[in-house]
Amino acid sequence: MPRPSTADERRRLLLPTIAQAFARTGYNRATTAELAGACGVPENTLFRLWGGKKGMYLAALDHLYERTVDGWARYLAAPAAGPDAASAASRLLAYEGEHYGEHGLYRIIFTGLDEIDDPDIKKALRAMYRRFHAFLTERIAEHRGEEPAAARTALLAWAVIGMATVAGIGRELRLVTRQQQRELFGEVGRALLDLHETP
Amino acid sequence: MPRPSTADERRRLLLPTIAQAFARTGYNRATTAELAGACGVPENTLFRLWGGKKGMYLAALDHLYERTVDGWARYLAAPAAGPDAASAASRLLAYEGEHYGEHGLYRIIFTGLDEIDDPDIKKALRAMYRRFHAFLTERIAEHRGEEPAAARTALLAWAVIGMATVAGIGRELRLVTRQQQRELFGEVGRALLDLHETP
DNA sequence: AGGTTTTGTGAGTGAGCGCTCACAATACGG
DNA sequence: CCGTATTGTGAGCGCTCACTCACAAAACCT
């Protein structure tokens, strides 16, 4: 038997660095040479591990999403403070008001939106948004005490995603302060969760 | 005296085509050769008129924004139907629920977000978002009958922008139907305008 | 007409970059 | 130790693409 491959292990090891590089520079400006440099490996290695730049991007996107979701799961698993424990949805809003953007997930998404005519990238983004939206919809339905999620709940989930997105853009452009981000998630986001029919 | 320049005129004439091309393909994938082809002029001409690809993009961004704002102004100038005429803010929401995305403005913005480490592009996007947000904030303040716009009003304006943004992304990825877009602007957007303190 | 500038033409260039390849070195299993 | 696979190395290839240049033609002014 030949020498066993450590490829999986290496992928796991290098992915955070690659994701960070993509998030920092964007898809196009991140050259494969730079990625390799950041990882401290020869360019060749990256191509062997992911087949091409697009493969690296797709892996990085997936990595950042998983990382974000894991962060939520850990946060929600921790016992809520006190008996007046808020719903998972509103706890997540508070959490993201504080931490949104730390992983650079939104940055890597924007960079993908520019490549959206590539079918593979479009598919990956679509899958990610779909999962994200489904997750949020469930949390919001729980919060509102709805059993099967109503159509309106799905709309609210989109609105919350939009709010997060604009927070990312706004902070990037220095038009939204960190305090405003907190208020956006905290006040407006919270209000969205409890939105009823307008009279 | 020499031959007078018709450069301004030509810029005005070619800009819609260039903007459309950028919106269709994105910044990076739109090659200067393609832009020239779409315009039916030699590549050289575009460089003489705008100095470079970045200049073409900045002009296109500005053009689409102006065009959008003009569309609003025209729509608002038309007399509101009946005596129960809604506020400008809510009329705009209804309008955008129907027409959002038609000019491709959001597409050209996404494409710019990928180039955001370029200071010129960042500055242009920042200026555009700032104007957009200021405009919306005023309309919302009017709607709510606030004299000087409250801090909360600015937040609501961001939320509305976010809602529009996510509508663009969602429709692009075929996760949001046109009907859902209408409801997003119509129901959720309308509710945002009237959001009070949560009890 | 003549002078001055703009416009059309078309070839070309130089740099960046994704990706490849041949080969040597290394590490594992039998 | 040997066969087989994976890794390190480094040069380089081919292509795309933003951008340029030289020159001829046209258009406007006085």
Side-chain angles (χ1 to χ4, degrees):
Chain A
M1 279 264 286
R3 177 179 179 181
S5 171
T6 60
D8 287 344
E9 173 72 5
R10 299 193 75 192
R11 268 189 279 263
R12 208 174 49 73
L13 234 61
L14 296 179
L15 214 40
T17 310
I18 292 190
Q20 193 183 355
F22 271 127
R24 192 176 54 245
T25 4
Y27 184 79
N28 289 286
R29 292 167 113 100
T31 67
T32 51
E34 271 177 22
L35 295 173
C39 291
V41 300
E43 214 173 335
N44 206 359
T45 301
L46 298 188
F47 280 93
R48 279 207 263 248
L49 288 174
W50 284 285
K53 188 179 174 180
K54 196 164 77 179
M56 303 176 209
Y57 172 81
L58 293 174
L61 175 65
D62 186 62
H63 169 74
L64 285 187
Y65 180 70
E66 291 299 337
R67 198 162 144 168
T68 301
V69 170
D70 282 0
W72 293 341
R74 270 199 308 278
Y75 178 70
L76 290 179
D84 54 355
S87 70
S90 70
R91 288 181 67 205
L92 282 179
L93 279 176
Y95 179 78
E96 286 296 307
E98 217 58 56
H99 297 99
Y100 179 76
E102 280 179 3
H103 297 323
L105 177 60
Y106 74 95
R107 261 186 159 274
I108 216 172
I109 291 175
F110 291 161
T111 229
L113 287 171
D114 194 43
E115 303 292 319
I116 208 160
D117 29 334
D118 180 296
D120 294 325
I121 291 184
K122 183 168 188 170
K123 206 167 93 180
L125 284 174
R126 192 177 131 89
M128 201 213 54
Y129 266 104
R130 191 206 277 284
R131 284 180 60 191
F132 187 18
H133 180 258
F135 174 83
L136 252 183
T137 302
E138 285 173 33
R139 294 294 84 70
I140 297 180
E142 282 170 17
H143 174 94
R144 294 162 73 86
E146 298 163 352
E147 195 42 61
R152 161 161 292 232
T153 312
L155 286 184
L156 293 179
W158 282 121
V160 169
I161 294 177
M163 212 188 59
T165 305
V166 89
I169 298 176
R171 297 226 48 211
E172 194 75 45
L173 296 174
R174 303 209 168 276
L175 290 172
V176 169
T177 65
R178 183 163 267 280
Q179 174 59 22
Q180 285 176 310
Q181 170 178 330
R182 263 192 294 266
E183 290 170 8
L184 206 47
F185 279 88
E187 298 185 33
V188 182
R190 209 75 62 100
L192 277 174
L193 296 186
D194 296 317
L195 207 69
H196 343 299
E197 300 293 332
T198 37
Chain B
M1 279 261 292
R3 177 180 179 179
S5 170
T6 60
D8 287 343
E9 173 72 5
R10 298 194 75 192
R11 269 187 279 261
R12 206 173 51 73
L13 234 62
L14 296 178
L15 215 38
T17 310
I18 292 189
Q20 194 183 354
F22 271 127
R24 192 175 54 246
T25 6
Y27 184 78
N28 289 287
R29 292 168 113 101
T31 68
T32 52
E34 271 177 21
L35 294 174
C39 291
V41 300
E43 216 173 333
N44 206 358
T45 300
L46 299 187
F47 279 93
R48 279 206 264 250
L49 288 174
W50 284 286
K53 188 178 175 180
K54 195 164 79 180
M56 303 175 208
Y57 172 80
L58 293 174
L61 175 65
D62 187 60
H63 168 74
L64 284 187
Y65 180 70
E66 291 299 337
R67 198 161 144 168
T68 301
V69 169
D70 281 1
W72 294 340
R74 270 200 307 279
Y75 178 71
L76 289 179
D84 55 352
S87 69
S90 70
R91 290 182 65 206
L92 283 179
L93 279 176
Y95 179 77
E96 286 296 306
E98 218 56 57
H99 296 97
Y100 179 76
E102 280 180 4
H103 297 324
L105 176 58
Y106 74 95
R107 260 187 159 273
I108 215 172
I109 291 175
F110 291 162
T111 230
L113 286 171
D114 194 44
E115 303 291 320
I116 207 161
D117 31 332
D118 180 297
D120 294 325
I121 290 183
K122 183 167 186 169
K123 207 166 93 178
L125 284 174
R126 192 177 130 89
M128 201 214 54
Y129 267 104
R130 191 208 277 285
R131 283 180 60 191
F132 187 18
H133 180 258
F135 174 82
L136 252 185
T137 302
E138 284 173 33
R139 296 294 84 71
I140 297 180
E142 282 171 16
H143 175 93
R144 294 162 73 87
E146 298 163 351
E147 195 42 60
R152 161 161 291 234
T153 312
L155 286 184
L156 292 177
W158 282 122
V160 169
I161 294 177
M163 213 188 57
T165 304
V166 91
I169 297 176
R171 297 228 46 212
E172 195 76 45
L173 297 174
R174 303 209 167 275
L175 290 172
V176 169
T177 65
R178 183 164 268 279
Q179 175 58 23
Q180 285 177 310
Q181 170 178 330
R182 262 192 294 266
E183 291 170 8
L184 206 48
F185 280 88
E187 298 185 33
V188 182
R190 208 76 61 100
L192 276 173
L193 296 185
D194 296 318
L195 207 69
H196 341 299
E197 300 294 331
T198 36

